[in-house]
Amino acid sequence: MFLHKQALQYTAKPEKPDAVYARKLQEVIGGQYGEITVAMQYSFQAWNAHIPGKYRDLLFGTAAEEFGHVEMLATMVAQLLEKAPLGITEKAIQNDPAVAAVIGGTDVQDAIVAGAGARPVDSNGNPWTAGYVTASGNLLADFTSNINAEMQGRIQVARLYHMTDDPGVRDLLSFLLARDTMHQNQWVAAAKELQAEGIESLPAPSNFPIKKEHRDASYQYINFSDGKAAAEGSWAKGDSPDGLGQFTYIDTPPEGVPMPPPTHPDARFFGTTELPNVMEKMAGTVQDKLHRE
Amino acid sequence: MFLHKQALQYTAKPEKPDAVYARKLQEVIGGQYGEITVAMQYSFQAWNAHIPGKYRDLLFGTAAEEFGHVEMLATMVAQLLEKAPLGITEKAIQNDPAVAAVIGGTDVQDAIVAGAGARPVDSNGNPWTAGYVTASGNLLADFTSNINAEMQGRIQVARLYHMTDDPGVRDLLSFLLARDTMHQNQWVAAAKELQAEGIESLPAPSNFPIKKEHRDASYQYINFSDGKAAAEGSWAKGDSPDGLGQFTYIDTPPEGVPMPPPTHPDARFFGTTELPNVMEKMAGTVQDKLHRE
Amino acid sequence: MFLHKQALQYTAKPEKPDAVYARKLQEVIGGQYGEITVAMQYSFQAWNAHIPGKYRDLLFGTAAEEFGHVEMLATMVAQLLEKAPLGITEKAIQNDPAVAAVIGGTDVQDAIVAGAGARPVDSNGNPWTAGYVTASGNLLADFTSNINAEMQGRIQVARLYHMTDDPGVRDLLSFLLARDTMHQNQWVAAAKELQAEGIESLPAPSNFPIKKEHRDASYQYINFSDGKAAAEGSWAKGDSPDGLGQFTYIDTPPEGVPMPPPTHPDARFFGTTELPNVMEKMAGTVQDKLHRE
Amino acid sequence: MFLHKQALQYTAKPEKPDAVYARKLQEVIGGQYGEITVAMQYSFQAWNAHIPGKYRDLLFGTAAEEFGHVEMLATMVAQLLEKAPLGITEKAIQNDPAVAAVIGGTDVQDAIVAGAGARPVDSNGNPWTAGYVTASGNLLADFTSNINAEMQGRIQVARLYHMTDDPGVRDLLSFLLARDTMHQNQWVAAAKELQAEGIESLPAPSNFPIKKEHRDASYQYINFSDGKAAAEGSWAKGDSPDGLGQFTYIDTPPEGVPMPPPTHPDARFFGTTELPNVMEKMAGTVQDKLHRE
Amino acid sequence: MFLHKQALQYTAKPEKPDAVYARKLQEVIGGQYGEITVAMQYSFQAWNAHIPGKYRDLLFGTAAEEFGHVEMLATMVAQLLEKAPLGITEKAIQNDPAVAAVIGGTDVQDAIVAGAGARPVDSNGNPWTAGYVTASGNLLADFTSNINAEMQGRIQVARLYHMTDDPGVRDLLSFLLARDTMHQNQWVAAAKELQAEGIESLPAPSNFPIKKEHRDASYQYINFSDGKAAAEGSWAKGDSPDGLGQFTYIDTPPEGVPMPPPTHPDARFFGTTELPNVMEKMAGTVQDKLHRE
Amino acid sequence: MFLHKQALQYTAKPEKPDAVYARKLQEVIGGQYGEITVAMQYSFQAWNAHIPGKYRDLLFGTAAEEFGHVEMLATMVAQLLEKAPLGITEKAIQNDPAVAAVIGGTDVQDAIVAGAGARPVDSNGNPWTAGYVTASGNLLADFTSNINAEMQGRIQVARLYHMTDDPGVRDLLSFLLARDTMHQNQWVAAAKELQAEGIESLPAPSNFPIKKEHRDASYQYINFSDGKAAAEGSWAKGDSPDGLGQFTYIDTPPEGVPMPPPTHPDARFFGTTELPNVMEKMAGTVQDKLHRE
């Protein structure tokens, strides 16, 4: 159950309008690594969790915070758009290249569709899609996905920080950066704890009977490019991080095996085969073609 | 530059046809964590890399292997479909519930669109989309994304392993599981090496001036759900993994700040405001409405 | 700000597993008119609202309930999948057509991707997309969108009610039907209240200067099909609902105006024009083509 | 059957080129509430209709008009693009910020993909998708969807009206505004007529046995946010619009019921559980892991 | 302008219900090469055409027919669904594997969303998207796209023909096959006529100054795979079809040129570089990190 | 199997940065007819091919080249972005309309998401989707699709050529134009060869028993628009290109057949029917409604 409170976790107030920046900020609302993604991802991970207790509480506790981040950013976007030029005709300024330039950089749907409002889309206007969400039921994999999401999100916020001078916007971003720092750290800690407790380990999933995999190939770096430097990395020799093998480096991919012969499905799929197929052979000439059954 | 070789890295030959399983296997071709995703992701990460040498070579060397995995799986799918019932009418068997059941579980586009061929889609027929790809230019974040991709991919292959008894299919999957084990290990090793070399560290991006973030909030677990167990985790107290702070646990979210007042954009966006807006007030009665300017 | 509570608004417990039904239920989680849509739609309408007070509170108060509905349904789906056959091989039953039939009707990604978990997708596995959301800033239009969403949603739940005999599932659906009844009624009431208070009226947006529209065409039913029965409807004569006009019925569309001549953009867009364009005319023969500038 | 006539319903001729505006106009061609949406929506509602006569004729008669609106707008877009700067290099003007600003605001695919032509996309270049269409077979719900579509559409046209000074463009928009006024009115009239005739009533679907819904919850406004003003609305007390109940206001959501315990699906889905699962427990140490079956 | 006539071009009446087949038939309504695609494609090609006369008339004349094909197929789908089992509970038959098998093969949204109606989606339930449409303004290219669309469409209809025994369905398909035959032929004829009239020729676009292309590479088959058989084709030697060159065969791709060095964008994009960047170097130790600017 | 070589097929080096142009160039990376499309399309055609030998080798040999084209273009995009203004704040230039204009025309995700890197998207930021790919198993149809793809691709490159003055960019484009010329020619040659060898012929699929199609309609041009000029084309009279018929011209579409009556599915789909349905009739008055079963 979710309860809403008409307050923001942190101040979200720009000093001045900036519709171009509002568009950019939509990336961290409705982009691949925006706040909608993490809010939905943590929620579905919690709903699909198979254990009660600290890990599921961690998911629920963070998910709800992220919905509140969507709210802070949407509120910020609406204010950035509030008094900004958005294309409504003003003869005086319409011919001003500076104004035209600004409007050219805005998201025109913010004006046409939302009437100077926020939308659940990214900075190019692509609608948010649940195709971004990861919730496999395996917590080691999912927490790794979460570490990545918080890293990508923090990188984007850091870039956005340097794309504005507005102190109000920067103040909110400095708060979001801090929360991303926390969330990166917490998912790293949780992933370690899962392993320390022996619940999951590398390679994920750790409870698949490892003998069933083709162990000869489990620690070989096979170099399918012609660069030579990959041989210098820690992935080319020494112990593997899962503690179960030794890396080796193979500079030239093995020969491989012959491709199987091409398939020949039922003739009624009308694929192209070597010889005209049976029906066709029976058909004979063009005139026959018209009369064949 | 890519060169193609008419051989497969490993044998891909089913013992018998199975169109339902062919559909399932498409998940690891064209799904969110299928082989197309990793092939494209590692390629774009290499093209966006800012450093030559071992890390970029690792990306290139693995990317090309993954394109070959798409090929092995597509070849397998085509063979699984080759002699399977796919809905082409055969009076004798069409009334057999067992056959109908099988056909009901297939991807009908494999038959109608591809003529018993493989397609770049997932197991529900959703076309692969580049929205799955991550390539930020920050290698610590991107390698973490790669670890996750290999984990999710290996989990899916492990599940698929238990969804068939076909020894030919299982043989290929046992090879893919091994390569996923290698790739998980290699990205973990590479992420560690980046940090050991002092190139990147937590929190990513590590070269954003950390003083600019709101440090008070950087290590607080704030519990937005009412479960109590998250307090027991390693994310609730002690050193944070980035080595820069101490976790604290806050059981009840702070009060927050008041929401800013609602926005009032230009009246010509025709949003609903408290009072009929200026134009409306001038308009008076319904009859006036017809004559107003 | 959103707070989460580890409780459900209403019991969500199936009597027995049913993976096929789980798939169907995903329609009202992640479909066009599923609970994610209304939760996100009411949230963005609230964030884009231009007036504080009862209408915005109504939006916030309902939005949070809808996130809780997503949770109840996701929980239900996970339980329906928990003990159901999902394709994991069991030699004994794998050859049973009844079992095959069931598995054929499931969402295979529920098994392969989510490990028997819920996902933010519809009953065909299409990921939820923010393209479903409406939040224009005009409350009369948006509340009408909400009435429609609650109607479509309740129709789908009513259909789903008749697709199961499970008393636990039906119990939850009977609760959701009731809430949809409430929400239909509340948005109808709110839309009426907006009009009674003189804030908005038909046609929306009501504060666009109506004289600027081509009033001759504002109340004509123009019959672009050849059925005659539309002339019998209340939209063909009498007062229009907006109180500003009289409907008329036009059985045959007017002649219209000639299409403008085709466009001739810059030749360097290489569109096909009547005569080979200037460059081409200068080029002369085929040999010239090779040497032209 | 559809017949095409080489004429436009109304004049569509701009006074001067304007590629930025052409992009904006694409919203009402290929956007969520553009003309393609209503043309397709009314068509599918007609094809799915279960009754002949006035309602179906109304759907057919309006659908065909909307296809003609797509045509008028596409024609207008092509003309707006015809002589506009679209990025083709002209050294003289390329360095002019005013020109660059204009080009920056255009849809670059209008030039690169369509050669200065119209496309079935919205103003951000998102391709039109059938995910926008509603056709449930229930006419009260579908007509409500139509009212909303015409409201959203008219709001967008009204906004677009104020984004241009071109008298030719405004002339076409004034015609479209009028038709949207008609269509809003007609769907309102049709929805009322359905109810007056006793065919459908609130709550939709009206023929679901209402006793089967959890009637205790059918008229309660439950306040999941902490605003107090929703208590003042007509949805908080008094008769409900469906005539079947009395609204009540519940300021604090009831406690709810405990969440069901987390699910424990088959171990071969490799989800994370409390204790290492059976396979894992049998496996013992790391070395065992390598040899386990 | 489009006018609708309440008649079908050809009889569309199945002998008996078949919901599984209804789903399959949706491929040719709303799939990549379904009737919506060609109807919209020919319409946009006509609206973007730069010449009046026979070619544009051909586009308009065929576009309108295709909208009528959508109608015939939607009508057929609705009838195939009308009396078919769609999951509504009937205790007697629900336990019958044959019935379960049938229902498992249906599109569940046909029931849940459309109430036994047709939808603008493909046979996997993917909504039709305008991303399928081609309309470049160059008629030789676009007519080639049309030939392909009619070929793919006819192949799919031919496959569907063999997936049913219903004489009513087959009768409609036999008509559609004939129209696809016509449309293939007409676009081939039109493409030839464009070339015979000297309006367009190979390579398209034919009026790009061909000297500006790197002519050395214009007729080389470069073999990027290791198969040898491509050397036997007509593309490996002899005159090229455009009449402007001679094919040659290059068995091994040339060495190529070195890749340019990796890019080094502004440090504030936080990409990973060889050496910790300037900010980082200034930062010094971990403690410094906390105090740096 | 694919092998990667760290070299480019041709030089890809711009003379100067140009972020706006980088965005445009993305069209031919990740657009409908970009290099990803052809690389994936030729690969899947090869994997679905039913014959070994020259046609399949041609597909493999070209597919791998196209992956290399993606690489050249991605490399070019990264360099175009490397030193370009991308929105990072520089007080001095931020107020310069010329700079603002430039930034307004860039793809903001190139900066925010990719850190000045290339992405698998089109020039409007739409992610590449496998919905663009065609691989039917019928080589005549698929080669025709390939001709079209190379035509559309070459048209787009030709337009892009005229949108820049950068000699480095133009040099690469001149190479790509040449390869598109080759590829157009090769697919035309291959399609002819298939027919010359008697493997496939018009109409595709040529081995569907043509007598089963409704031959009366196979060569009729039926004019569903009111233009008269289509009668002048070669598709209106004379031999059809398939050599099997004679074109005829029908100026007015035949009357057609009556539409079948509307469908009446199970009442529990809650569609709207003429009379309130059985349940409803039993229900009686509003009060009854509350008590009905």
Side-chain angles (χ1 to χ4, degrees), chain A residues 13-163:
Chain A
K13 191 159 181 45
E15 196 173 272
K16 56 181 186 307
D18 185 344
V20 175
Y21 195 79
R23 171 197 177 183
K24 292 180 182 175
L25 212 46
Q26 285 183 170
E27 186 63 33
V28 286
I29 294 178
Q32 183 186 12
Y33 291 110
E35 302 285 1
I36 295 177
T37 296
V38 284
M40 295 288 275
Q41 177 155 315
Y42 303 162
S43 295
F44 273 88
Q45 287 178 6
W47 297 326
N48 287 350
H50 305 308
I51 40 175
K54 66 185 170 188
Y55 296 113
R56 197 173 64 150
D57 282 12
L58 178 66
L59 287 162
F60 275 132
T62 313
E65 178 176 357
E66 304 290 14
F67 281 116
H69 290 193
V70 180
E71 185 170 64
M72 286 192 294
L73 286 161
T75 304
M76 177 63 91
V77 163
Q79 292 171 88
L80 284 164
L81 295 169
E82 188 176 8
K83 304 293 178 199
L86 285 168
I88 293 290
T89 51
E90 304 288 0
K91 283 197 181 59
I93 64 169
Q94 204 67 356
N95 300 320
D96 180 343
V99 173
V102 164
I103 294 171
T106 65
D107 178 334
V108 295
Q109 290 188 316
D110 281 344
I112 303 171
V113 173
R119 292 180 308 122
V121 304
D122 69 17
S123 59
N124 266 332
N126 296 301
W128 186 84
T129 159
Y132 299 145
V133 169
T134 299
S136 71
N138 182 294
L139 293 186
L140 181 54
D142 289 357
F143 290 172
T144 305
S145 177
N146 299 354
I147 300 168
N148 172 53
E150 298 286 349
M151 285 178 165
Q152 302 289 342
R154 191 169 179 273
I155 288 167
Q156 293 180 4
V157 174
R159 287 168 180 162
L160 285 164
Y161 186 93
H162 288 300
M163 292 182 182

Side-chain angles (χ1 to χ4, degrees), chain C residues 94-170:
Chain C
Q94 205 67 355
N95 300 318
D96 180 343
V99 173
V102 164
I103 294 170
T106 64
D107 178 333
V108 296
Q109 290 188 317
D110 282 344
I112 304 170
V113 174
R119 292 179 308 122
V121 304
D122 69 19
S123 58
N124 267 330
N126 296 300
W128 186 84
T129 159
Y132 300 146
V133 169
T134 299
S136 72
N138 183 293
L139 293 185
L140 182 53
D142 288 357
F143 288 172
T144 303
S145 176
N146 299 353
I147 300 168
N148 171 54
E150 297 287 349
M151 285 177 164
Q152 302 288 344
R154 192 168 178 273
I155 288 167
Q156 294 179 4
V157 175
R159 287 169 180 161
L160 286 164
Y161 186 94
H162 288 300
M163 292 183 183
T164 183
D165 291 323
D166 188 300
V169 176
R170 283 195 157 189

Side-chain angles (χ1 to χ4, degrees), chain D residues 117-128:
Chain D
R119 293 179 309 122
V121 303
D122 69 18
S123 58
N124 266 331
N126 297 300
W128 187 84

Side-chain angles (χ1 to χ4, degrees), chain D residues 186-199:
Chain D
Q186 86 180 31
W187 299 123
V188 169
K192 284 183 180 165
E193 193 159 338
L194 274 175
Q195 295 176 77
E197 290 180 345
I199 295 176

Side-chain angles (χ1 to χ4, degrees), chain D residues 42-286:
Chain D
Y42 303 162
S43 294
F44 274 88
Q45 288 178 6
W47 297 326
N48 287 350
H50 306 307
I51 41 176
K54 65 185 172 188
Y55 297 113
R56 198 172 64 148
D57 282 12
L58 178 65
L59 287 162
F60 275 132
T62 312
E65 178 175 356
E66 304 290 13
F67 280 115
H69 290 193
V70 180
E71 185 170 64
M72 286 192 294
L73 286 162
T75 304
M76 177 64 89
V77 163
Q79 292 171 90
L80 284 164
L81 294 169
E82 189 176 8
K83 303 293 177 200
L86 285 168
I88 292 291
T89 51
E90 305 288 358
K91 283 198 180 60
I93 63 170
Q94 205 67 354
N95 300 320
D96 180 343
V99 173
V102 164
I103 294 171
T106 64
D107 178 334
V108 294
Q109 290 188 316
D110 282 345
I112 302 171
V113 174
R119 293 179 309 122
V121 303
D122 69 18
S123 58
N124 266 331
N126 297 300
W128 187 84
T129 160
Y132 299 146
V133 168
T134 299
S136 72
N138 182 292
L139 293 185
L140 181 53
D142 288 356
F143 289 172
T144 304
S145 176
N146 299 353
I147 300 168
N148 172 52
E150 298 286 350
M151 284 177 165
Q152 302 289 343
R154 191 169 179 273
I155 289 167
Q156 293 180 4
V157 175
R159 288 168 180 163
L160 285 164
Y161 186 94
H162 288 301
M163 293 182 183
T164 182
D165 292 322
D166 188 300
V169 175
R170 284 195 156 189
D171 188 35
L172 175 61
L173 297 185
S174 76
F175 181 76
L176 292 173
L177 283 159
R179 297 310 293 157
D180 287 346
T181 292
M182 172 59 196
H183 291 154
Q184 274 185 43
N185 275 285
Q186 86 180 31
W187 299 123
V188 169
K192 284 183 180 165
E193 193 159 338
L194 274 175
Q195 295 176 77
E197 290 180 345
I199 295 176
E200 297 281 358
S201 59
L202 284 180
S206 49
N207 48 5
F208 179 82
I210 208 162
K211 269 191 66 181
K212 287 181 190 287
E213 81 176 29
H214 194 298
R215 293 293 288 167
D216 291 354
S218 300
Y219 301 100
Q220 296 174 331
Y221 177 77
I222 309 174
N223 195 33
F224 280 82
S225 184
D226 63 348
K228 298 300 175 198
E232 302 158 14
S234 55
W235 50 82
K237 58 181 172 297
D239 291 345
S240 62
D242 65 9
L244 300 172
Q246 292 279 320
F247 283 127
T248 57
Y249 178 85
I250 298 180
D251 189 48
T252 307
E255 277 306 292
V257 299
M259 298 187 107
T263 56
H264 288 78
D266 192 299
R268 287 167 296 173
F269 286 117
F270 308 110
T272 301
T273 53
E274 292 91 335
L275 296 174
N277 68 30
V278 178
M279 280 179 193
E280 188 68 17
K281 278 188 296 184
M282 294 186 310
T285 68
V286 160

Side-chain angles (χ1 to χ4, degrees), chain D residues 1 3 5 71 118 128 130, chain E residues 1 3 5 48 71 118 128 130:
Chain D
M1 218 190 282
L3 301 168
K5 183 172 170 183
E71 185 170 64
W128 187 84
Chain E
M1 218 189 284
L3 301 168
K5 183 173 170 182
N48 287 350
E71 185 171 62
W128 187 84

